Amino acid sequence: MNNETIQLRNLSIGYQTRHGVKMVAEGISGSILSGQLTCLLGSNGVGKSTLLRTLSAFQPKTGGEVLFRGVRSEESGVRNDDQEVREISTLSDKELSRMIGVVLTEKPDVRNMAVRELVSLGRSPYTGFWGRYSKDDLRVVDESIALVGIEALSLRMVHTLSDGERQKVMIAKALAQQTPVIFLDEPTAFLDYPSKVEMLQLLRRISREAEKTIFLSTHDVELALQLADTIWLMTKSRGVRNEEGGVKIGSPKDLAESGELSRFIERKDIVFDKETLSIKVKRL
């Protein structure tokens, strides 16, 4: 059953410059559900990374609300009643670390560390001041490694891995953090095509098997349209505030039938087939 884990209400996002706040997008409203793979699409510079950083609490929102349901309490670590809703600005660092796992595009610059050791770092919100792992912590680490299917890599040194293998390790680390929400920024960057397919299939499977709320940005439009349950299509602001805030939300089929995907994808020599959700390039 899909539950609403995150709700955005009239959210405004931007970043600080020496001349003041540079507004990126305004009036964003929508819900992100658990048990689904949700993909964020949009042109370069439209604000996808800014939105992800804001939802991850890496930078403050400029207006509106970001609401989370079922936050683990800082004191007990127990997940609150699923009906309780908390605004992101009221969450402590520890509560955030138990609510949100983040996988970034940047490759981790890690040497002299084995895969299992790196995945174990996902347990840091639970290990206390001394960082000692309990039997339960180590069980969660092994389960996370198994869920991603990288048992054969657990003793390998991280710097010897391929890009695709390293990305799977970072996803396993996020799973070991045991957060209900995982945000990923371009998880298929640097991967070859078969690895891109495998990565999105893996994330789709995890969203269902582990009942996670998985929200990711990607430039792999055609793959996202085939594998995502829900698409967030972010478009450039034209300086006119509107009720949808430049973000269209729906299933791939819904956005295709409404014409939103055609407007986003099609160019002079690029055609979008809304029946097959495929992109064709005209031969010159």
Side-chain angles (χ1 to χ4, degrees):
M1 183 177 179
N2 302 136
N3 296 310
E4 181 184 273
T5 308
I6 306 167
Q7 186 178 21
L8 279 54
R9 292 181 181 171
N10 203 32
L11 177 67
S12 298
I13 59 173
Y15 52 89
Q16 188 70 41
T17 71
R18 58 183 177 179
H19 302 296
V21 175
K22 169 68 174 176
M23 195 67 70
V24 173
E26 298 180 81
I28 303 172
S29 295
S31 299
I32 307 174
L33 306 183
S34 64
Q36 286 194 359
L37 177 64
T38 302
C39 291
L40 174 63
L41 303 180
S43 304
N44 286 333
V46 76
K48 298 189 302 298
S49 292
T50 301
L51 177 57
L52 276 175
R53 286 196 298 270
T54 303
L55 297 183
S56 304
F58 290 165
Q59 68 183 64
K61 55 189 170 59
T62 58
E65 295 179 299
V66 178
L67 304 172
F68 286 91
R69 190 182 302 276
V71 179
R72 290 185 180 184
S73 70
E74 184 173 4
E75 295 79 14
S76 65
V78 175
R79 191 169 176 179
N80 294 336
D81 189 323
D82 281 347
Q83 299 308 309
E84 183 180 358
V85 175
R86 296 276 303 278
E87 214 282 325
I88 191 171
S89 60
T90 71
L91 301 179
S92 68
D93 289 343
K94 179 156 283 190
E95 287 173 328
L96 285 167
S97 72
R98 293 177 176 183
M99 186 72 192
I100 304 169
V102 181
V103 180
L104 300 174
T105 307
E106 292 79 10
K107 301 177 186 179
D109 186 16
V110 176
R111 292 190 173 273
N112 301 317
M113 181 178 284
V115 164
R116 192 167 185 267
E117 291 177 291
L118 180 56
V119 175
S120 298
L121 295 180
R123 297 303 299 162
S124 59
Y126 311 97
T127 54
F129 179 78
W130 299 108
R132 292 172 179 163
Y133 298 113
S134 67
K135 288 183 179 179
D136 187 58
D137 289 321
L138 297 177
R139 176 188 57 78
V140 172
V141 168
D142 290 336
E143 288 176 353
S144 302
I145 288 172
L147 187 57
V148 180
I150 55 172
E151 297 97 325
L153 302 178
S154 61
L155 299 180
R156 286 267 303 275
M157 303 305 286
V158 175
H159 70 273
T160 69
L161 303 178
S162 69
D163 290 337
E165 290 170 336
R166 192 181 294 110
Q167 195 73 308
K168 287 180 181 179
V169 171
M170 299 310 294
I171 292 170
K173 176 176 174 288
L175 288 172
Q177 199 174 329
Q178 285 191 308
T179 58
V181 176
I182 301 177
F183 294 136
L184 304 100
D185 189 13
E186 292 288 345
T188 57
F190 314 118
L191 303 184
D192 57 32
Y193 188 79
S195 298
K196 289 176 187 286
V197 175
E198 183 184 7
M199 181 60 62
L200 287 184
Q201 287 177 327
L202 169 65
L203 292 169
R204 181 181 169 93
R205 176 171 61 82
I206 289 171
S207 71
R208 285 155 170 72
E209 292 183 5
E211 195 64 20
K212 299 288 185 184
T213 301
I214 296 185
F215 185 74
L216 65 90
S217 66
T218 182
H219 282 108
D220 294 308
V221 176
E222 204 161 6
L223 282 181
L225 297 182
Q226 294 179 62
L227 293 171
D229 298 292
T230 301
I231 297 292
W232 283 43
L233 179 59
M234 200 168 184
T235 57
K236 287 185 180 293
S237 171
R238 294 177 175 81
V240 178
R241 188 179 181 125
N242 59 61
E243 60 180 356
E244 294 170 311
V247 176
K248 311 294 184 181
I249 301 173
S251 69
K253 206 70 178 174
D254 289 342
L255 293 181
E257 290 175 357
S258 69
E260 296 295 342
L261 287 172
S262 295
R263 284 189 283 275
F264 169 60
I265 295 168
E266 291 191 339
R267 300 292 186 273
K268 179 182 177 183
D269 297 313
I270 303 173
V271 177
F272 175 65
D273 188 329
K274 68 179 183 180
E275 296 301 323
T276 60
L277 300 178
S278 60
I279 301 170
K280 299 177 181 179
V281 179
K282 296 179 181 178
R283 293 187 178 185
L284 299 178

